[in-house]
Amino acid sequence: MTATHDRLIVVLGYSDRVVRELHPICAGRLAHAATVSTEADVVVLSGWARAPGARPEADLMADAWNGRCDELIVDPDARHTLGNATNAIDDLVRTGAGTVVVVTSRWHARRARAIFRWAFRGVGTRVLTSSPDEQVDLRQSALELVRWLFLPFQLAAATFRGRSGDGGTPPSQSAPPTPRR
């Protein structure tokens, strides 16, 4: 049975690969998500452990979550933005959400939205981004410009690998979802 929710809110993790606790950028994203979520939303906290021996970003976010939602999903397996998006496909299909709100930093929002739109192509889901107020990070903004250059190759490779390899088949053409947890 498929539940129906209006929105799926996906909060993207962030780590500098040094700090073992919740990074301030990630904490800002999480706090912002708490302000935009409602009791009717499904919230996905997504991010892996970048430092050896560290807890996954998703687990750290779950410990600090103080927002409202109907369901909280912890995805500790996503290693990058494309992984965040493809891991959320089953949640999107299962919940029947018509809108996905990707919570990330402003400097990352455009590329994240492009990746989520690509991952959810053929489903008819609206993809929006929402970002906390934060200072402009020139270093991160410059890195994002470089990452844009590689995005077509990343998406092409994901299409070639198929859905099991962090991207590929749109959810409308994939196998039935298997709930995680």
Side-chain angles (χ1 to χ4, degrees):
M1 178 178 212
T2 301
T4 303
H5 292 84
D6 290 337
R7 297 190 314 172
L8 180 72
I9 298 177
V10 183
V11 186
L12 305 187
Y14 179 88
S15 171
D16 62 4
R17 298 184 177 146
V18 176
V19 177
R20 292 192 181 288
E21 55 270 349
L22 196 61
H23 191 280
I25 290 175
C26 191
R29 293 175 181 181
L30 186 66
H32 179 71
T35 67
V36 300
S37 65
T38 70
E39 292 89 2
D41 294 324
V42 174
V43 175
V44 178
L45 307 175
S46 187
W48 70 304
R50 292 184 180 224
R55 291 181 59 215
E57 297 159 4
D59 290 344
L60 296 172
M61 287 191 284
D63 290 347
W65 176 252
N66 64 358
R68 302 165 294 165
C69 62
D70 183 50
E71 181 181 357
L72 184 66
I73 298 169
V74 177
D75 171 21
D77 301 321
R79 304 181 101 185
H80 44 68
T81 308
L82 180 57
N84 297 129
T86 57
N87 287 1
I89 290 172
D90 289 345
D91 300 318
L92 173 70
V93 172
R94 183 179 55 78
T95 63
T99 301
V100 173
V101 179
V102 181
V103 178
T104 189
S105 302
R106 277 188 279 178
W107 45 264
H108 182 237
R110 285 187 178 166
R111 189 170 62 87
R113 188 168 101 177
I115 290 170
F116 272 77
R117 281 184 170 175
W118 177 85
F120 297 156
R121 67 197 182 282
V123 181
T125 299
R126 191 169 89 170
V127 177
L128 306 172
T129 59
S130 187
S131 301
D133 286 333
E134 57 197 357
Q135 291 184 337
V136 174
D137 185 326
L138 294 177
R139 180 179 173 275
Q140 289 295 344
S141 297
L143 286 171
E144 277 299 299
L145 289 174
V146 173
R147 290 179 183 127
W148 270 105
L149 296 173
F150 293 99
L151 185 59
F153 302 104
Q154 183 184 23
L155 298 181
T159 300
F160 179 75
R161 282 191 306 267
R163 182 144 182 300
S164 63
D166 257 349
T169 309
S172 60
Q173 300 170 12
S174 63
T178 307
R180 289 174 290 164
R181 287 331 124 232

